Amino acid sequence: MHFGPHLLLAALEGLVTSAVLALTALGLSLVFGVMRVVNVAHGEFFMLGAVLAWAISTAIPGHPTVGFLAALVIAPLIVGAIALVAERLVLRRLNYNPEATIVATIGMLYIIQQLALSFYGPEARPVEPPFSYRILLPWFGYSGYKLSIIAASALLLVLTWLVLTHTKIGLIMRATQYDSETAQAFGIPVDRVYAGVFALGAMLAAIAAVLIVPISQAHYLMGQDPLLLSFIVVIIGGLGSLRGTVVAAVLIGLSDGIISVFFSPTLAKIIATMLVAMVLVFRPQGLFGQASR
Amino acid sequence: MSEASPAKAYALHLGVIALLFALSFVLPEYHHGLLARIMVLAVFAMGYNMLFGYVGLLSLGHAMFFAAGLYGAGFAVIHLGWNVPLAFLAGIACGALLALVIGLLALRTTGVAFMIVTMMFAQVFYLVILYFAAWTGGDQGLVVPQPARVLNLGATSLDLTNPTVRYMSALALFSIVLLITLAVVRSRYGRVLVAVRENEERTKMLGYDTFSNKLIAVVVSGTICAASGAAYALLFGYVGSSLASVQYSILPLLWVLLGGAATTLGALIGTVFMYYVIDIASGYTSAYLLIVGIALILLVLFFPKGILGTIRQRWLGWLP
């Protein structure tokens, strides 16, 4: 293959990564933005989504499309419910203290990971894609399913943006993010907003995982990379900024895809992590965020 | 705090050291070996406690300082053929240098950003170890050969692979670090650190240069952790990337939280307790990470002061 088509392929792969990453990072960003909680267990919600997708799609007989669609609906709901319980039982009792919640979510990470290992096992298991149509480009054929991931992710992102900017729920969430005490004084049930946001963040990660699992098998350690990449995206995009998160996800996903095709993935990760640490040190508000209040 | 009773505090610490010395002669072989390892790891926890307990800076990347000592000492022996004392010093020097650089960068941030930055630097350190697998052995790690682990002191030579020598070396390191920690905590400088933890702005207003005080604390903390790593490489002969992973940044946090942050002996108690819980549990189940996770959550929820912290609050106010 020539350089041009090779680059196009790398860019397409990068875009698929970006699409999934944007959804996962958006969840992390919402939770941090509204609740000021750094959720270290976010990657495990992603993993749970994938593992549940496997369980659901194998439990439902018939055409793979039916199983996949069922997984796309049910898996995020279950993950959201688990997140809701974790929020009620742990985070709320800690009063959302940033340092205590980090330690607690590290604990959740270990618990979820270990339970997945015990009940699901160490194997990587595939989920059949809902359709296997290939789009023939002049140089190579490309999976239609991968392109549909990009479309689905874009749709969900627009939907989230519309909810945040054009609905009452969105207004309440933004008010809580801006100043939770004043919001409470105006009769907003901040408590319930927090619970909802935490569940929503976990559900976004789970949806992203269900979308990606037909291409990249479900495995109990698959939460680690998305967690690190989501952190990177959220930091580059500016903590709590939605537009920054999406832009950064596309940037990171594309560069990750392209760098990994041409260089060693470990080297790509080293450079990316180092750059992000430097961004945090020298420009803590992120590349796109405004200075902190 | 401990105004009135310096003698009491020193007596307690010397008593603990004497107890550990005496245990060497009565413990069965298995627990003897385990306790040697626990003392080395307790040094790691003490280094962590210096920063987390007294300055209130929660780092999620201390595995890199431990690993700097581990690989510094390991490389000096394996690749350069240095002798044991030089290799130990090389490990410590690597950790101190790394801590200085990381401190200069990471201390520009505060709070949550500090945790994430330290975690990311540690992740870079870990990935670099994996990337240069030709020298580091990647995730297989390296074994320090037994002939290189002999300490030559003039006429006599001590074989660090001998259980008694190993136990006593670990105890020596542990005792030195414990007494240093106690001295630092009781000094003027230790009080400034606590002041920074309680209210950094006010400390600054009183005329203290909080940045350089914190920087010194990071370097001292990193150096102690590196000493623990260097001792681990020389005493147990294994240098591996798993000891640089995120998990080894979390473990000292867990040990210190359990034993009691900002208590000098809490690091030892937490390490002993957690090590034995995991050791006993792994006899029944391989899911020891589950116990780590549950312990972390229960600790922050119900027991944020840890074992010694609670004892100090309730009964023994003079505990340092």
Side-chain angles (χ1 to χ4, degrees):
Chain A
M1 217 169 2
H2 292 293
F3 180 74
H6 204 152
L7 189 66
L8 177 65
L9 180 64
L12 278 174
E13 290 291 317
L15 268 182
V16 175
T17 312
S18 309
V20 175
L21 192 54
L23 281 180
T24 318
L26 179 62
L28 194 70
S29 174
L30 273 179
V31 169
F32 182 81
V34 177
M35 303 167 68
R36 301 272 130 188
V37 163
V38 177
N39 180 14
V40 186
H42 196 65
E44 303 317 305
F45 291 137
F46 180 89
M47 178 272 287
L48 269 184
V51 167
L52 287 171
W54 173 83
I56 294 165
S57 63
T58 41
I60 293 177
H63 197 269
T65 313
V66 183
F68 179 82
L69 287 180
L72 194 56
V73 176
I74 300 171
L77 285 177
I78 298 178
V79 173
I82 294 173
L84 201 64
V85 171
E87 200 272 349
R88 291 282 92 159
L89 284 184
V90 180
L91 298 186
R92 186 159 66 140
R93 287 169 190 238
L94 293 173
N95 239 334
Y96 309 103
N97 170 308
E99 303 196 345
T101 47
I102 283 201
V103 178
T105 51
I106 291 172
M108 288 181 203
L109 179 157
Y110 283 146
I111 294 175
I112 299 176
Q113 210 175 73
Q114 193 69 60
L115 288 179
L117 176 62
S118 301
F119 291 102
Y120 172 80
E123 302 89 5
R125 297 194 176 98
V127 169
E128 223 175 305
F131 55 90
S132 51
Y133 176 70
R134 282 186 85 75
I135 294 171
L136 284 176
L137 298 175
W139 314 277
F140 52 84
Y142 198 71
S143 151
Y145 176 70
K146 286 189 181 177
L147 292 178
S148 75
I149 292 180
I150 302 175
S153 162
L155 189 74
L156 278 167
L157 289 171
V158 170
L159 208 68
T160 315
W161 179 76
L162 282 177
V163 168
L164 275 177
T165 49
H166 285 76
T167 64
K168 182 114 190 262
I169 299 172
L171 186 67
I172 288 175
M173 274 168 62
R174 280 184 292 137
T176 314
Q177 167 164 8
Y178 194 78
D179 185 342
S180 61
E181 278 178 25
T182 313
Q184 181 121 42
F186 276 82
I188 290 176
V190 170
D191 216 56
R192 264 188 281 161
V193 176
Y194 280 177
V197 166
F198 195 72
L200 179 67
M203 286 167 75
L204 282 170
I207 294 175
V210 178
L211 287 175
I212 197 75
V213 78
I215 348 179
S216 78
Q217 311 197 322
H219 185 253
Y220 83 104
L221 284 178
M222 72 187 293
Q224 301 296 316
D225 276 355
L227 176 70
L228 194 68
L229 282 174
S230 304
F231 265 131
I232 292 176
V233 164
V234 171
I235 288 165
I236 299 261
L239 292 161
S241 137
L242 196 152
R243 204 176 314 150
T245 303
V246 175
V247 174
V250 173
L251 206 72
I252 297 286
L254 272 182
S255 48
D256 189 69
I258 293 171
I259 294 174
S260 306
V261 166
F262 295 104
F263 300 96
S264 135
T266 313
L267 189 63
K269 261 194 243 169
I270 293 177
I271 295 171
T273 316
M274 198 66 196
L275 281 179
V276 171
M278 290 304 171
V279 166
L280 249 181
V281 168
F282 293 105
R283 212 184 135 74
Q285 70 272 35
L287 293 181
F288 303 97
Q290 295 101 25
S292 58
R293 270 175 272 119
Chain B
M1 266 180 61
S2 50
E3 251 68 57
S5 51
K8 228 180 193 175
Y10 277 100
L12 175 69
H13 287 72
L14 291 174
V16 168
I17 292 169
L19 176 70
L20 287 169
F21 182 77
L23 277 177
S24 166
F25 302 103
V26 292
L27 280 181
E29 195 185 332
Y30 175 72
H31 295 279
H32 189 266
L34 207 59
L35 195 57
R37 198 176 291 254
I38 288 174
M39 282 190 288
V40 171
L41 292 175
V43 171
F44 184 18
M46 281 193 275
Y48 187 84
N49 187 27
M50 184 64 101
L51 197 62
F52 170 62
Y54 292 100
V55 197
L57 285 169
L58 200 164
S59 149
L60 289 178
H62 260 51
M64 68 180 145
F65 302 131
F66 183 76
L70 190 79
Y71 278 89
F75 275 14
V77 171
I78 295 167
H79 294 308
L80 302 174
W82 290 9
N83 61 20
V84 167
L86 272 181
F88 185 65
L89 290 179
I92 293 182
C94 288
L97 189 68
L98 180 69
L100 181 69
V101 175
I102 298 292
L104 280 172
L105 290 169
L107 283 176
R108 294 173 58 103
T109 62
T110 51
V112 169
F114 181 82
M115 304 179 200
I116 298 179
V117 165
T118 48
M119 185 167 80
M120 292 199 146
F121 281 132
Q123 187 67 18
V124 170
F125 194 90
Y126 173 67
L127 290 171
V128 166
I129 290 173
L130 290 185
Y131 188 69
F132 292 102
W135 290 287
T136 61
D139 43 6
Q140 300 280 315
L142 300 168
V143 172
V144 184
Q146 189 182 357
R149 286 158 59 197
V150 174
L151 183 59
N152 288 308
L153 295 168
T156 56
S157 67
L158 293 171
D159 182 1
L160 293 182
T161 54
N162 173 302
T164 312
V165 175
R166 181 151 68 185
Y167 188 94
M168 288 306 162
S169 313
L171 177 61
L173 176 71
F174 172 79
S175 312
I176 292 169
V177 173
L178 181 67
L179 294 177
I180 290 177
T181 314
L182 182 62
V184 168
V185 167
R186 297 185 54 85
S187 70
R188 221 179 116 75
Y189 172 66
R191 281 157 204 278
V192 176
L193 291 186
V194 173
V196 171
R197 178 187 75 197
E198 293 303 322
N199 192 332
E200 183 166 354
E201 290 305 312
R202 193 176 292 173
T203 316
K204 213 184 263 175
M205 202 193 71
L206 289 171
Y208 290 99
D209 180 355
T210 54
F211 184 85
S212 29
N213 276 309
K214 285 196 288 184
L215 185 60
I216 294 170
V218 171
V219 173
V220 172
S221 166
T223 309
I224 294 176
C225 294
S228 163
Y232 195 95
L234 296 171
L235 294 179
F236 303 105
Y238 177 65
V239 174
S241 62
S242 63
L243 296 169
S245 61
V246 183
Q247 204 184 318
Y248 270 81
S249 293
I250 308 293
L251 283 175
L253 168 67
L254 175 63
W255 296 329
V256 169
L257 273 178
L258 178 63
T263 61
T264 44
L265 286 169
L268 175 69
I269 293 182
T271 315
V272 169
F273 201 85
M274 207 60 223
Y275 217 89
Y276 268 97
V277 166
I278 289 177
D279 191 62
I280 293 165
S282 56
Y284 301 101
T285 163
S286 59
Y288 82 92
L289 275 181
L290 189 68
I291 296 163
V292 174
I294 292 173
L296 278 173
I297 291 180
L298 290 181
L299 275 172
V300 289
L301 269 182
F302 303 111
F303 225 19
K305 287 192 189 325
I307 297 172
L308 274 192
T310 311
I311 291 179
R312 172 163 69 190
Q313 194 184 18
R314 295 255 174 94
W315 300 289
L316 303 173
W318 54 271
L319 270 184

